[in-house]
Amino acid sequence: MVKAKKTLLYIFSISALFLIQSVFSVGEFKLNLLILPVYYVGFKKGYLKGLLTGALIGFLEDSFSGSIIGPALLSKGVLGIAASYIRGGFFIWRPALGMISLFGLCLIDDTIQFISLAIFSDQPTTLKHFLIFALLRAIIISPFGSFIKPEDGR
């Protein structure tokens, strides 16, 4: 019963993030809130569950944008794996480390998607616009990293 409630909570949270991400945008600038559940699961549950969560969210994100297999599947899967390795690298966990790690992972996600589209499709935007948008997304999303911490509190 508890596992079913957690699963429903995860599904509701991911659906709400999809909705918020699609509704709130300023011109071409969209938030990348789907990094948060991938970071959370990878950080708390390990690399395999992080990879599966990232791949599932990336697949859903790509399928909603019109392609079955796209750059979001790759980038979110990599983030799920990377988030699991962040936790073990520090002796004492501080909220600033969570913010810095989420900032870096957001930049990695945007970079993987930009490079994948530039290589396999057409260049989505200029490099200057990409850097501005990627930094803005990372700055906006990074404060959420201070709320996610290891269970043992180290």
Side-chain angles (χ1 to χ4, degrees):
M1 185 66 161
V2 174
K3 191 167 187 148
K5 285 183 182 180
K6 278 188 175 183
T7 304
L8 286 175
L9 178 66
Y10 285 145
I11 291 171
F12 176 75
S13 300
I14 291 170
S15 300
L17 288 174
F18 265 115
L19 181 66
I20 291 169
Q21 181 173 310
S22 64
V23 170
F24 294 111
S25 65
V26 178
E28 294 179 14
F29 181 75
K30 291 185 178 185
L31 292 175
N32 198 358
L33 297 174
L34 296 173
I35 289 176
L36 296 173
V38 176
Y39 175 69
Y40 177 81
V41 172
F43 189 76
K44 296 270 191 177
K45 307 291 183 190
Y47 72 92
L48 186 58
K49 289 186 179 179
L51 171 67
L52 292 175
T53 302
L56 177 66
I57 289 175
F59 176 76
L60 290 173
E61 189 176 0
D62 284 336
S63 63
F64 288 149
S65 68
S67 64
I68 298 296
I69 297 177
L73 184 121
L74 173 65
S75 67
K76 298 292 189 286
V78 169
L79 288 186
I81 294 171
S84 69
Y85 288 110
I86 289 173
R87 177 180 53 175
F90 301 101
F91 293 112
I92 300 173
W93 188 257
R94 298 284 182 230
L97 292 174
M99 291 172 59
I100 292 168
S101 62
L102 194 56
F103 181 86
L105 289 176
C106 189
L107 288 178
I108 290 170
D109 179 62
D110 286 339
T111 303
I112 290 173
Q113 288 193 24
F114 180 78
I115 290 173
S116 296
L117 286 173
I119 291 173
F120 298 112
S121 184
D122 56 342
Q123 188 168 356
T125 185
T126 63
L127 187 61
K128 178 182 172 184
H129 284 112
F130 161 71
L131 291 173
I132 291 170
F133 286 161
L135 286 172
L136 279 174
R137 276 191 200 118
I139 289 170
I140 291 171
I141 296 215
S142 65
F144 292 108
S146 64
F147 300 112
I148 301 172
K149 58 184 177 182
E151 287 91 6
D152 57 3
R154 295 186 298 130

